[in-house]
Amino acid sequence: MNSLPRIVICSNTAWSLYNFRRSLIRALVADGFEVVAVAPEDEYTERLWRVGCRYVSMPMDNKGTSPARDLGLLIRLRNLLARERPVAYLGYTIKPNIYGALAAQSLGIPVINNVAGLGAVFVRSTWLTLVAKLLYRLALSRSRRVFFQNREDRSLFVSERLVRETQTGLLPGSGANLAHFAPSPSRAPDGQLRFLLLARMLWDKGVGEFINAARLVQQTHPEARFQLLGFLDVQNPAAIDRSVVESWVAEGIVEYLGNTDDVRPYLAAADCVVLPSYYREGVPRSLIEAAAMAKPIITTDWSGCREVVDNGENGLLVAPRDVCSLAKAMTAFCDFPSGRRAEMGVASRRKAVREFDETVVVDCYRKEIAAILEQRDTRA
């Protein structure tokens, strides 16, 4: 087995590790660590190998609530960590954060958690919310560091006593590669304004509000075009059925662009990126990437989303779940002079450079891991 110091990084999909943690994995490999990526198998598992890490399959019932299956996950994670003996365990998403932390702590392995938004569990207060809070409190109590992506989530966890404030850290979302997501030359004007919603097709992402607002905007601005880009057929209670999206397309109100591994051409072609989400986001990666590519943004005045927009400067904030508020903002954007829209895009890029460079995220992890190794060497 490789003699390099080992780090285990775990999430509920290989897709998320590849898309959101790829730069961190590469940085840790460059620092001399063997990185073990742990997640259920999907079409992105092979790509993780190419990043330079070692992949281990970990079946996970991501949306289920079966205590027996979750206990099985806890046991599998503990067995894996006992075999790998990493210097640190990095957890992402709810089940790896909870059960991975419990497994690592039982073996004396330092844990760094990342709470990248609270998701549907915290949007609708149910018995499941209470169980999640109890499990979070149990799992995070002994973590070395718990990173959050916005102040509201951190304040909630501290006020609910799910974590001590001294354990917490704040990251600028998952950041963006500012060289990769760079502004592109403006497309030739064709008299059409393109509004792009880039997200998984979930009701909580405000897709329904986007469609209803589009109907209103087209009454006065028939030249406006509305586009959807992102996963359909996701396993989520809030998933939008494919037939519903197809009916919107047939109505002529929206174009569905499918899903892609490279969003840049679609962002480049958009005049404005819209995300009317009321999902408990961390900081939406789609908005960070849009800002990096100098796109004006319309999003909700909501946890995580508001972090990317300075209202009136690089975009507009609207009320959550409010179709009229959204339609009013998109109509106003249509009426802005082209120079004002261009200025908003420039302001987005400035904000991305100032606040959302992914090197900040990587450096935070490097600092924590260095402190873990120093503490380990001191004890030795």
Side-chain angles (χ1 to χ4, degrees), residues 64-187:
T65 58
S66 165
R69 283 195 288 269
D70 286 352
L71 177 60
L73 175 61
L74 174 62
I75 293 170
R76 290 194 301 276
L77 284 168
R78 192 182 190 282
N79 289 341
L80 180 143
L81 292 170
R83 182 174 67 249
E84 299 290 347
R85 284 291 170 181
V87 296
Y89 171 83
L90 279 52
Y92 299 87
T93 65
I94 184 167
K95 291 194 177 184
N97 266 333
I98 289 172
Y99 300 115
L102 291 172
Q105 289 156 4
S106 73
L107 297 165
I109 297 168
V111 174
I112 302 173
N113 298 103
N114 188 312
V115 181
L118 305 185
V121 171
F122 284 78
V123 170
R124 308 173 187 89
S125 185
T126 65
W127 66 270
L128 191 57
T129 310
L130 298 176
V131 172
K133 288 180 179 179
L134 177 64
L135 290 171
Y136 266 131
R137 185 179 294 117
L138 181 65
L140 302 182
S141 62
R142 291 184 290 157
S143 292
R144 174 183 175 84
R145 185 68 64 204
V146 182
F147 284 124
F148 293 88
Q149 297 191 2
N150 63 66
R151 292 176 179 83
E152 288 95 337
D153 289 353
R154 179 167 70 173
S155 296
L156 174 63
F157 269 56
V158 171
S159 65
E160 295 272 356
R161 298 183 179 179
L162 308 183
V163 66
R164 299 184 305 280
E165 187 169 8
T166 54
Q167 291 176 278
T168 66
L170 194 62
L171 298 175
S174 50
N177 183 324
L178 298 178
H180 187 70
F181 290 96
S184 59
S186 299
R187 62 180 176 82

Side-chain angles (χ1 to χ4, degrees), residues 276-345:
S277 177
Y278 44 92
Y279 189 83
R280 284 304 296 260
E281 308 277 355
V283 177
R285 180 69 173 264
S286 61
L287 296 188
I288 294 174
E289 292 170 350
M293 290 191 66
K295 295 299 170 180
I297 294 166
I298 296 175
T299 191
T300 41
D301 190 3
W302 183 251
S303 173
C305 297
R306 66 171 70 97
E307 307 286 329
V308 194
V309 171
D310 297 323
N311 194 32
E313 294 185 23
N314 72 312
L316 300 171
L317 293 175
V318 301
R321 303 175 187 256
D322 190 329
V323 171
C324 291
S325 177
L326 178 58
K328 182 178 178 181
M330 290 197 292
T331 300
F333 186 84
C334 290
D335 292 334
F336 286 157
S338 59
R340 169 108 190 257
R341 295 195 292 264
E343 288 170 1
M344 295 177 86

